[in-house]
Amino acid sequence: MIPGPVEATIKPTNHDLGDFEVRRALPSKHRRMVGPFIFVDEFGPARLPPGGGMDVRPHPHINLATVTWLFEGAIDHRDSLGTFSTIEPGQVNLMTAGSGIVHSERSPENDRTGGPRMFGMQTWLALPDGKEEIDPAFEAVENLPVIEDGGARAIVIMGDLWGERATTTTYADTIYAEIVLAPGGQLPIDSPADERALMVVDGEATLDGEELPLYWLVVIKPGDAPALRSEKGARVMLLGGESFSTKRHVYWNFVSSDRDRIEQAKEDWANGRFPTVPGDEEEWIPLPDKPKTVTYP
């Protein structure tokens, strides 16, 4: 066994979108999931050109929940349930796709004049067995628990951590937190979750003295309670939860334990059988021939 608290390190795949970069750590060839997290994207920090903005046209999801968390900037979310929500730092947006949902993500109009800021995380949670086809839903949660101790400040986004619990809905045991360390700050990573991982998104940090590479996903050994520390200051994401015994497949924006279900979703989207997004009906993303995110065939 490799000494130290680290079980694996995953270098993200970079996607250059012109005005900003997206770094995708999951799924990877080396690891498909950490707890229920099956997709982990970090984007920015960046400032888009004045007059421009992010415009992710309407697209579908099934059998998963998306979690959007921002450090800077804002995103207008619309979905086929009729939801409109402006995502801002300190608020978690949880969109449950379940049996199927369509949504769009765009920079707010009032941010475009000066050039929108983009810095945050988008992750997908696979829904557990028996809950993959639940009804679609959406929630935006504020007033999340904050823990402050010894030069460390942590926001609990999902689940139970350091004696506090977020009110955000979870379908499987899930932990998710943003940790900000002041110079010399430290915090124990002592959650008993089956699987846990860290990603430094700003600054420098170590885990029991072992350096954590910027933007890499670092998987922690089960049962260990290592110390996260920073000499100069850092922002670090902690994520994980219960391990899944049933394999999940990914194709484009679809996640499922059943490949046939994904094939059906592909056919449904290509033939216009998904619902539309009120207020954003004119555009959509076509089904790609070769998606960037795929774990089969």
Side-chain angles (χ1 to χ4, degrees), residues 3 18 23 37 39-40 45 62 72 116 129 141 174 196 226 229-230 243 253 256 269 280 290:
R23 302 169 184 89
F37 288 84
F39 177 99
V40 175
I62 63 163
E72 294 180 2
D129 293 349
V141 181
T174 307
R196 303 162 298 163
R229 180 177 171 81
S230 178
S243 60
N253 298 316
S256 184
W269 182 247
D280 203 345
K290 294 182 179 180

Side-chain angles (χ1 to χ4, degrees), residues 204-261:
E204 302 173 5
T206 60
L207 194 65
D208 275 1
E210 188 171 335
E211 185 176 351
L212 302 177
L214 187 66
Y215 304 129
W216 287 42
L217 194 67
V218 177
V219 182
I220 305 169
K221 290 177 181 176
D224 275 20
L228 177 68
R229 180 177 171 81
S230 178
E231 292 299 328
K232 298 180 180 179
R235 187 191 306 267
V236 186
M237 299 303 292
L238 167 65
L239 59 90
E242 70 177 87
S243 60
F244 277 36
S245 57
T246 307
K247 187 177 181 179
R248 291 297 185 273
H249 307 288
V250 181
Y251 186 96
W252 190 41
N253 298 316
F254 305 131
V255 167
S256 184
S257 61
D258 183 353
R259 288 190 182 190
D260 290 340
R261 179 67 181 92

Side-chain angles (χ1 to χ4, degrees), residues 39-109:
F39 177 99
V40 175
D41 265 9
E42 184 278 336
F43 53 88
R47 184 157 196 164
L48 279 58
M54 182 184 77
D55 284 294
V56 180
R57 294 166 290 160
H59 58 280
H61 292 286
I62 63 163
N63 293 189
L64 59 84
T66 68
V67 184
T68 307
W69 181 256
L70 297 179
F71 311 123
E72 294 180 2
I75 298 173
D76 280 348
H77 163 98
R78 286 181 170 87
D79 64 41
S80 51
L81 299 175
T83 306
F84 173 77
S85 176
T86 299
I87 310 167
E88 296 179 322
Q91 167 193 311
V92 58
N93 272 31
L94 176 73
M95 185 188 74
T96 303
S99 59
I101 200 168
V102 182
H103 75 134
S104 65
E105 299 155 295
R106 300 181 185 270
S107 296
E109 286 301 323

